[in-house]
Amino acid sequence: MERFNNHLNFKNMKIKYRLMSVMMLLIICFCIVVVICLQYVFKAYDEMLYSQSAGAINNSIGDIETELQSIEAFTLSISTDARIQQQLSKAKEITNEYDRAQILQDFKNKIFTSMLTDKYISSIRFVNESGYDMMVNQSAQVPDENKKNEAVVKAKEGKGANVWIEPDNMNAYLLSAREIRSIGVDMLAPLGTLIVQLNLDSLIQNHLSITKDKVTLAIWKGNQPIYTPDLKFQPSTAMLASKQGYLTEKIEGSSYFIAYTTSRVTGWTYYNLISYNNIFKKKNDLRFALLVVVLLSLLTVIAISYRVARGITKPIENLSMQMKQAEKGDFGEIVLEETDRSDEVGYLQRRFLIMIQRIEALIEENYTRQIMLKDTEFRALQAQINPHFLYNTLTSINWIARVGGQHKISTMVESLSRLLRNAMNNQVEVITLGEEIGLLQDYMNIQKVRYESELQFNLSVDERFYSYQIPKMLLQPIVENAIKHGLENMLESCTITVEAAETTEIIEVSVSDNGPGMEEEFLERLRAFEITSKGTGIGLKNINERLKLMYGEQAGLRFKSTVGLGTCVTVSIPKEGENHA
């Protein structure tokens, strides 16, 4: 029990847990305070936004109604103007077009001036029972005859009052119509019908643009649409039953605040749809600002905690990183300095340094031993045959072949003699690239006699590369592999090409063939030198290790192969191997 209480004691907790406890306590307290404040602020802000949005909506509707009333006032002023009344009465009796045009000049001027001063009027038309039809417009949109006749009939039914002809599916414009009646001698006699066409979309959009929030407006008269937005909105039964109100509703998967009211002038019901994403934009901005403040505060707390913990945990972190490098085998990346710390961390650092030094010594010793073993095997292979006996025998065969006129045999024997002489010379480990190419040509002379037309050999090495020094017997095992794995698995002729190129610091000699190539999986194993060499020849892995031992990590072998196209082996050697003697 006492041990358990000691663990719960803050002073006895591990440093990691102590720091985490303090940091978490600060963050929890801070978050609680922030949440309480945000709830209070957002609640007050919601009420303010609803009030402002409702006021803006009512202002927009009032402006639209004012524009409609101004159109009614305009048609009323036309119909009650004494001079226009007199002109229309005279024009009713005149059939001559010129005389009629002269009499109605004031009427036309007033109509034209009114249309130009009101940007929402697209056309004004006047017709009478005598067949006179006059229209002035600033839009190509003209009501059809059916709509005109409907306007004339409704205006007659209105008996001088203004009537509205709402848009429908075929005609997307609003018409104001008023029958002009005589107020002179022929009291209330019809003089004609004045039809004003309004651009309803321009009128609505212009007045909605004054609101701060993006509002979508729909206008219905009962259950008949007058002006509808792109949204698939349909008033519910509850909306149709009441003249005004507001509610929230989902439309096409998004939430909308819908405020609606019915006009006493037109009988239209205005539905204002405001997306929550827009109406609460300021709220979202405030939330974002507060979130930034919270995050900055949290970062400050974390930074303070980090600075406190850094001085304690930094030595341990450095030691952990060095251990990871040792685990990967990257001993060259490990940098350990002597420490004067006398605590547990200093002791671990010193013991780890001693361990790494011992491991490096063991690796170096083992690597040197493996190289010596490979070199011994190579020399043993060279010494398996008595060199003088073979060389003297081949010289005798060469002279017999020449005497007998067997030039092919003579060429093969001479090539073989030079190859054996080079192999038997154990005193020389490095030769020039030119000498290696000469030995390679001797080797190919022997193979071409064996395979005849099935084997083609191309040599494309500039003589300026001949002075570079390379390990003896470097290219011959690679060409031998190309013959074994290329030519012997082909039905057609095999072409082996040897080329040389250079960069600023490296010379590259490549051996390529047009053989069957390798599968990607086999090629990856070859690049990792996981393919075991068969027979007693010099394997590619051994060649790669010799190159790296002599020239460093810049030197080595690279492999490229494509199934059906062939294989290319590239030997990279630093230019420091050039012989300037």
Side-chain angles (χ1 to χ4, degrees):
M1 188 68 180
E2 183 179 355
R3 185 179 179 182
F4 178 74
N5 291 331
N6 288 335
H7 281 294
L8 291 179
N9 193 329
F10 183 77
K11 293 182 179 180
N12 295 329
M13 292 175 64
K14 292 183 178 181
I15 295 175
K16 178 175 65 175
Y17 298 135
R18 190 186 305 175
L19 293 175
M20 289 177 60
S21 299
V22 173
M23 184 171 157
M24 290 301 298
L25 182 61
L26 291 174
I27 291 176
I28 291 172
C29 294
F30 183 78
C31 289
I32 291 174
V33 173
V34 169
V35 169
I36 294 174
C37 294
L38 286 179
Q39 291 297 329
Y40 175 78
V41 171
F42 289 156
K43 183 177 180 181
Y45 194 70
D46 287 349
E47 295 175 357
M48 182 184 68
L49 284 177
Y50 275 121
S51 176
Q52 291 181 350
S53 299
I57 292 170
N58 290 331
N59 289 337
S60 297
I61 295 175
D63 292 338
I64 294 173
E65 293 288 347
T66 299
E67 291 292 342
L68 296 180
Q69 290 174 0
S70 70
I71 298 299
E72 292 186 4
F74 161 67
T75 58
L76 179 62
S77 67
I78 292 292
S79 65
T80 57
D81 187 289
R83 188 170 182 177
I84 291 177
Q85 283 268 335
Q86 184 180 9
Q87 292 177 0
L88 292 178
S89 297
K90 291 181 179 180
K92 186 177 180 181
E93 306 298 332
I94 298 175
T95 58
N96 184 278
E97 289 294 332
Y98 178 79
D99 294 338
R100 183 187 294 170
Q102 292 296 319
I103 291 175
L104 294 178
Q105 187 63 41
D106 288 345
F107 177 59
K108 291 180 180 179
N109 291 339
K110 187 168 185 178
I111 287 176
F112 188 72
T113 302
S114 299
M115 183 186 67
L116 293 180
T117 56
D118 194 324
K119 60 184 177 180
Y120 304 118
I121 298 177
S122 58
S123 68
I124 301 177
R125 191 172 186 175
F126 175 78
V127 295
N128 63 16
E129 295 177 349
S130 301
Y132 179 69
D133 191 340
M134 178 200 72
M135 183 174 68
V136 291
N137 60 58
Q138 53 184 353
S139 170
Q141 191 180 44
V142 179
D144 59 17
E145 288 302 312
N146 292 332
K147 207 69 177 177
K148 183 201 76 172
N149 295 335
E150 180 185 352
V152 172
V153 171
K154 286 190 176 182
K156 186 177 292 292
E157 293 174 354
K159 298 179 181 180
N162 185 82
V163 295
W164 293 100
I165 295 86
E166 290 84 6
D168 53 30
N169 294 332
M170 300 298 296
N171 302 280
Y173 44 81
L174 177 66
L175 297 180
S176 170
R178 185 189 293 272
E179 186 180 51
I180 300 177
R181 293 192 168 195
S182 174
I183 56 177
V185 178
D186 299 328
M187 182 64 69
L188 302 180
L191 300 178
T193 303
L194 184 65
I195 304 172
V196 179
Q197 176 180 304
L198 296 177
N199 189 336
L200 183 60
D201 182 73
S202 175
L203 171 63
I204 292 173
Q205 293 300 325
N206 184 67
H207 287 292
L208 286 180
S209 65
I210 64 174
T211 62
K212 295 181 180 179
D213 299 309
K214 184 178 180 181
V215 178
T216 302
L217 180 67
I219 303 176
W220 291 66
K221 189 172 185 179
N223 59 357
Q224 295 296 324
I226 294 176
Y227 178 81
T228 57
D230 295 333
L231 292 173
K232 296 180 180 178
F233 169 71
Q234 177 75 31
S236 63
T237 305
M239 295 181 188
L240 295 174
S242 59
K243 291 187 176 181
Q244 65 181 12
Y246 67 88
L247 50 77
T248 58
E249 186 175 299
K250 273 197 172 293
I251 303 175
E252 297 182 350
S254 300
S255 296
Y256 285 83
F257 172 72
I258 304 175
Y260 58 96
T261 184
T262 302
S263 171
R264 289 176 295 179
V265 178
T266 60
W268 298 348
T269 302
Y270 295 82
Y271 298 92
N272 294 273
L273 295 83
I274 308 175
S275 172
Y276 266 26
N277 293 332
N278 296 318
I279 197 172
F280 293 131
K281 184 177 184 301
K282 291 183 178 179
K283 178 179 176 181
N284 293 334
D285 292 342
L286 178 60
R287 181 184 287 111
F288 177 76
L290 291 175
L291 180 61
V292 170
V293 173
V294 171
L295 289 176
L296 290 176
S297 302
L298 289 177
L299 290 175
T300 303
V301 173
I302 293 172
I304 294 173
S305 301
Y306 177 79
R307 291 295 298 271
V308 173
R310 184 68 173 170
I312 301 172
T313 60
K314 183 178 179 180
I316 300 176
E317 291 175 356
N318 290 338
L319 185 59
S320 177
M321 291 176 59
Q322 303 296 344
M323 288 181 176
K324 289 180 180 178
Q325 295 293 340
E327 183 181 353
K328 295 178 182 178
D330 298 333
F331 294 100
E333 301 293 330
I334 298 176
V335 179
L336 287 177
E337 299 179 355
E338 292 289 343
T339 178
D340 56 356
R341 295 177 66 109
S342 57
D343 56 6
E344 292 83 353
V345 176
Y347 175 77
L348 289 175
Q349 287 179 327
R350 286 190 294 272
R351 301 310 298 176
F352 183 71
L353 175 60
I354 294 172
M355 182 187 69
I356 291 300
Q357 290 173 347
R358 289 181 179 176
I359 291 175
E360 288 181 334
L362 290 173
I363 290 175
E364 182 68 24
E365 180 182 349
N366 185 62
Y367 183 71
T368 304
R369 184 181 302 166
Q370 291 295 327
I371 294 299
M372 291 177 63
L373 180 61
K374 291 287 185 181
D375 187 65
T376 302
E377 292 176 354
F378 182 73
R379 292 180 182 277
L381 179 64
Q382 291 178 324
Q384 285 180 356
I385 303 174
N386 189 311
H388 296 291
F389 173 76
L390 286 177
Y391 184 69
N392 292 334
T393 303
L394 290 173
T395 302
S396 300
I397 294 173
N398 181 31
W399 282 107
I400 293 173
R402 285 189 177 185
V403 171
Q406 299 295 329
H407 299 292
K408 284 188 177 181
I409 296 176
S410 175
T411 301
M412 289 180 67
V413 171
E414 287 180 349
S415 298
L416 181 58
S417 297
R418 284 191 290 270
L419 287 173
L420 286 175
R421 177 178 295 176
N422 180 73
M424 294 170 189
N425 188 2
N426 296 331
Q427 303 301 319
V428 179
E429 294 294 334
V430 178
I431 61 177
T432 64
L433 179 58
E435 292 172 339
E436 180 72 10
I437 288 175
L439 295 174
L440 184 59
Q441 288 176 324
D442 288 334
Y443 175 76
M444 291 305 296
N445 287 336
I446 298 172
Q447 295 291 3
K448 288 174 70 176
V449 171
R450 176 184 175 187
Y451 293 104
E452 297 181 345
S453 61
E454 295 180 9
L455 178 62
Q456 302 295 326
F457 178 65
N458 293 331
L459 183 63
S460 181
V461 179
D462 195 285
E463 291 185 0
R464 61 193 174 92
F465 296 117
Y466 281 12
S467 61
Y468 286 93
Q469 293 186 344
I470 63 173
K472 185 173 66 174
M473 298 293 289
L474 177 66
L475 300 180
Q476 184 270 333
I478 300 175
V479 174
E480 182 179 353
N481 275 336
I483 295 174
K484 181 176 181 181
H485 299 289
L487 183 144
E488 294 182 2
N489 294 317
M490 296 175 61
L491 296 177
E492 61 272 15
S493 174
C494 176
T495 300
I496 296 177
T497 303
V498 178
E499 298 175 303
E502 65 176 335
T503 62
T504 306
E505 299 178 352
I506 293 175
I507 178 174
E508 295 182 338
V509 182
S510 61
V511 178
S512 59
D513 64 70
N514 63 339
M518 307 177 194
E519 298 286 348
E520 187 65 27
E521 181 180 355
F522 187 87
L523 181 60
E524 291 300 324
R525 290 181 59 202
L526 180 61
R527 286 170 176 165
F529 298 102
E530 297 175 355
I531 307 300
T532 304
S533 175
K534 297 180 180 180
T536 58
I538 303 174
L540 296 177
K541 182 178 181 181
N542 193 7
I543 295 174
N544 187 68
E545 291 176 352
R546 289 175 62 200
L547 288 171
K548 291 189 179 298
L549 182 62
M550 295 180 67
Y551 300 105
E553 290 300 320
Q554 283 185 304
L557 300 180
R558 296 201 316 272
F559 304 93
K560 276 197 315 184
S561 184
T562 303
V563 176
L565 297 180
T567 303
C568 178
V569 181
T570 302
V571 180
S572 299
I573 300 175
K575 280 189 174 181
E576 63 186 17
E578 186 177 7
N579 181 12
H580 298 284

